[in-house]
């Protein structure tokens, strides 16, 4: 795929995430006024991750165009740092967290939506915004993987980073419950303490599996291209 269309595509995806975030933050929901605000929801955190990631992609594209042919070694070094940051975010955050949010949300939603997205939220969040938060994330990140070869970190470092993110979010959810007495997700209200531990462990394993899927998929796409 040509460079310029890819640039335009990334810029369009970035603008769509900015629009989704602005519309979501403009919603007057009671949950936004409680402890942790929007930051207690993995969906919101993922939206921020995706917006930052595609922002870095756009910045990398612009830097690549500006430094092309000028022979500046310093600018080349800065560009390589941007590319490394872009690739790291794709591998460790954008792909595994994005795929996790989409698959977990719709799996639980189909089983019993009240466990993850109560019908009451339909009064606050329009359907298009719900899909913007929980559906389009997957095709957007797959498009990025298909159009750009991302260099993954070593498997041990990548998995360690993913585990750190997953455990950090789980501790954040537990802390919110400790402070407020309410679980962020209604699903957790129905689980015993022992089952919660198993659930949190399973969630950590799943997000690590998605990291490995991303690594394999990235290598498959670009090995085929070669």
């Amino acid at each position: 795929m040509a460079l310029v269309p890819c640039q335009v595509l990334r810029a369009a995806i970035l603008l769509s995430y900015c629009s989704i975030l602005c519309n979501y933050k403009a919603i007057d929901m009671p949950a936004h006024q409680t402890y942790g605000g929007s930051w207690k929801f993995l969906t919101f955190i993922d939206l921020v991750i995706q917006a930052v990631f595609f922002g870095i992609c756009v910045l990398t594209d612009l830097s690549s165009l500006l430094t092309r042919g000028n022979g500046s070694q310093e600018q080349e070094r800065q560009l390589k740092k941007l590319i490394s940051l872009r690739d790291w975010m794709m591998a460790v955050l954008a792909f595994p967290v994005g795929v996790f949010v989409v698959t977990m949300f719709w799996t639980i939603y189909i089983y019993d939506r009240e466990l993850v997205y109560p019908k009451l939220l339909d009064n606050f969040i329009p359907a298009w915004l719900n899909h913007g938060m929980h559906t389009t994330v997957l095709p957007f990140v797959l498009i990025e993987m298909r159009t750009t070869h991302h260099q993954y970190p070593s498997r041990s470092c990548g998995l360690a980073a993913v585990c750190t993110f997953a455990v950090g979010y789980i501790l954040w959810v537990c802390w919110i419950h400790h402070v407020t007495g309410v679980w962020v997700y209604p699903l957790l209200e129905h689980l015993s303490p022992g089952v919660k531990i198993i659930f949190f462990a399973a969630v950590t394993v799943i997000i690590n599996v998605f990291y490995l899927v991303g690594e394999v998929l990235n290598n498959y796409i670009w090995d085929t291209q070669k």
Side-chain angles (χ1 to χ4, degrees), residues 22-29 32-33 124-126 129:
C22 288
N23 279 277
Y24 178 74
K25 292 298 291 183
I27 296 173
D28 185 20
M29 284 200 310
H32 290 174
Q33 313 305 322
F124 300 95
I125 302 176
L129 187 55

Side-chain angles (χ1 to χ4, degrees), residues 49-50 52-53 56-57 60 80-97 141 144-145 148-166 211 215 218:
I49 288 171
Q50 302 297 331
V52 171
F53 168 68
I56 293 173
C57 288
T60 302
K80 287 180 180 178
K81 289 180 181 179
L82 263 180
I83 292 173
S84 295
L85 177 61
R86 178 200 68 186
D87 291 350
W88 185 89
M89 279 204 69
M90 175 66 172
V92 172
L93 294 174
F95 186 89
V97 178
V141 78
E144 171 60 24
M145 180 171 282
T148 305
H149 182 200
H150 296 276
Q151 187 68 41
Y152 268 60
S154 66
R155 182 165 293 179
S156 58
C157 290
L159 291 174
V162 173
C163 281
T164 300
F165 175 85
Y211 171 86
E215 181 184 46
N218 180 73

Side-chain angles (χ1 to χ4, degrees), residues 61-224:
D61 288 338
L62 291 175
S63 299
S64 179
L65 289 174
L66 292 174
T67 59
R68 181 179 297 172
N70 63 11
S72 172
Q73 292 184 351
E74 178 59 29
Q75 288 183 343
E76 287 290 338
R77 280 196 294 269
Q78 296 302 321
L79 177 58
K80 287 180 180 178
K81 289 180 181 179
L82 263 180
I83 292 173
S84 295
L85 177 61
R86 178 200 68 186
D87 291 350
W88 185 89
M89 279 204 69
M90 175 66 172
V92 172
L93 294 174
F95 186 89
V97 178
V99 176
F100 177 84
V101 166
V102 173
T103 54
M104 288 296 289
F105 175 83
W106 287 111
T107 299
I108 299 174
Y109 185 98
I110 292 171
Y111 174 73
D112 183 358
R113 66 170 296 177
E114 294 297 320
L115 296 176
V116 67
Y117 193 81
K119 197 171 180 62
L120 176 66
L121 292 179
D122 291 342
N123 298 323
F124 300 95
I125 302 176
W128 72 266
L129 187 55
N130 180 28
H131 285 291
M133 296 188 297
H134 298 115
T135 305
T136 58
V137 173
L138 181 56
F140 284 168
V141 78
L142 289 176
I143 288 171
E144 171 60 24
M145 180 171 282
R146 175 61 183 82
T147 57
T148 305
H149 182 200
H150 296 276
Q151 187 68 41
Y152 268 60
S154 66
R155 182 165 293 179
S156 58
C157 290
L159 291 174
V162 173
C163 281
T164 300
F165 175 85
V167 172
Y169 181 70
I170 290 169
L171 293 176
W172 171 232
V173 168
C174 293
W175 175 255
I176 291 172
H177 177 261
H178 172 73
V179 172
T180 65
V182 177
W183 287 104
V184 173
Y185 302 102
L187 168 67
L188 297 173
E189 301 283 357
H190 303 278
L191 304 180
S192 66
V195 175
K196 282 188 182 73
I197 293 173
I198 296 173
F199 176 78
F200 288 143
V203 162
T204 304
V205 170
I206 290 171
I207 199 169
N208 276 274
V209 168
F210 285 140
Y211 171 86
L212 296 175
V213 169
E215 181 184 46
V216 171
L217 184 60
N218 180 73
N219 291 337
Y220 172 77
I221 291 172
W222 293 98
D223 285 347
T224 302

Side-chain angles (χ1 to χ4, degrees), residues 33-60:
Q33 313 305 322
T34 56
Y35 185 83
S38 302
W39 292 98
K40 58 178 169 283
F41 301 113
L42 186 58
T43 292
F44 179 78
I45 295 173
D46 178 52
L47 287 176
V48 173
I49 288 171
Q50 302 297 331
V52 171
F53 168 68
F54 279 100
I56 293 173
C57 288
V58 171
L59 183 59
T60 302

